Amino acid sequence: MPSQGHETRIREVAQGFALDVNAGQAAALVELFGLMLRWNEHINLTGARDIDDLVEEHLADSLALAVLVPPSASLVDVGAGGGLPSLPFLLLRRDVTTTLVEPRAKRVAFLRTALRTLRLEASVVAGRDDTITTQFDAASSRATFAPQEWLARSERLLAPQGRTILFLSTEASLQLPANWKEVGRLSYGARNRDRLAIAAAPSSAP
């Protein structure tokens, strides 16, 4: 599929989330995905083989994050890895102040290169989440921790009224602990697989 076709498909996928991705954003996403694939030849960033895979399998999580993070929020993405879902999210939600946390040096180098190439603003922390002392309005992590572990780890990262984002398959069974409450939910599909993103907040929060 040529670049223009990818851009059209990106905008179609975004419409399924009631998000309006403009032509400039779609072109920037194609540029980002191309950069990911070039780096993927040398370090393991993603299992995606081409831009089609990135659009059809991975973009949806970034779009879900864009829906669930409040306007003008601060976000920390833990285990940012190869930049999914955080880098596409950044292209769509420039109103959000974002911190990317990643312990592996080669992936940190990629994240910093991608931010510079796409002219995106975000902080990159080369380390683990347990070194972070700042608190945020939202915290996300995908495919790094089991859901219950991520809830426990993320709580100290949240500002008052903050929320944690969890990415799940719809088959996953998640019972929120008694001290958490659900504040947002989004069901969606990605290449014939059902997915679920949940925003949860400590129940002691107002």
Side-chain angles (χ1 to χ4, degrees):
M1 185 187 297
S3 176
Q4 188 173 6
H6 288 128
E7 293 170 21
T8 299
R9 180 57 184 152
I10 284 168
R11 299 179 76 176
E12 290 173 350
V13 174
Q15 286 172 2
F17 291 78
L19 292 173
D20 183 18
V21 173
N22 62 41
Q25 289 171 319
L29 284 166
V30 172
E31 181 182 359
L32 169 62
F33 292 157
L35 181 65
M36 285 181 175
L37 293 170
R38 290 194 297 276
W39 275 67
N40 206 45
E41 295 174 3
H42 306 288
I43 65 173
N44 181 26
L45 295 177
T46 174
R49 297 166 299 173
D50 52 33
I51 292 179
D52 286 342
D53 283 348
L54 288 165
V55 173
E56 301 299 336
E57 294 187 21
H58 297 285
L59 179 60
D61 291 333
S62 301
L63 296 168
L65 188 61
V67 171
L68 291 173
V69 172
S72 303
S74 58
L75 168 71
V76 61
D77 186 55
V78 173
L84 295 168
S86 55
L87 291 179
F89 167 85
L90 277 166
L91 282 166
L92 302 174
R93 292 291 310 275
R94 292 177 183 263
D95 61 301
V96 176
T97 302
T98 303
T99 299
L100 309 178
V101 181
E102 171 55 45
R104 290 163 289 189
K106 291 182 179 179
R107 295 189 177 197
V108 167
F110 167 73
L111 292 171
R112 288 176 172 158
T113 298
L115 292 172
R116 184 170 60 252
T117 302
L118 276 299
R119 298 180 177 82
L120 295 170
E121 293 186 9
S123 299
V124 179
V125 175
R128 293 168 50 87
D129 61 294
D130 52 17
T131 66
I132 303 297
T133 57
T134 307
Q135 291 188 315
F136 302 86
D137 300 317
S140 68
S141 184
R142 192 193 74 160
T144 301
F145 306 106
Q148 299 287 359
E149 181 183 0
W150 173 230
L151 284 171
R153 296 181 75 99
S154 67
E155 186 168 6
R156 70 173 193 82
L157 298 172
L158 296 179
Q161 302 183 52
R163 59 178 59 187
T164 290
I165 312 298
L166 302 108
F167 294 96
L168 308 162
S169 68
T170 52
E171 295 82 10
S173 176
L174 175 67
Q175 181 69 41
L176 288 177
N179 61 323
W180 287 83
K181 61 184 178 182
E182 185 176 309
V183 295
R185 170 183 290 252
L186 191 62
S187 298
Y188 54 100
R191 192 161 273 179
N192 300 319
R193 287 197 295 248
D194 293 331
R195 297 190 185 178
L196 176 67
I198 291 176
S203 57
S204 57

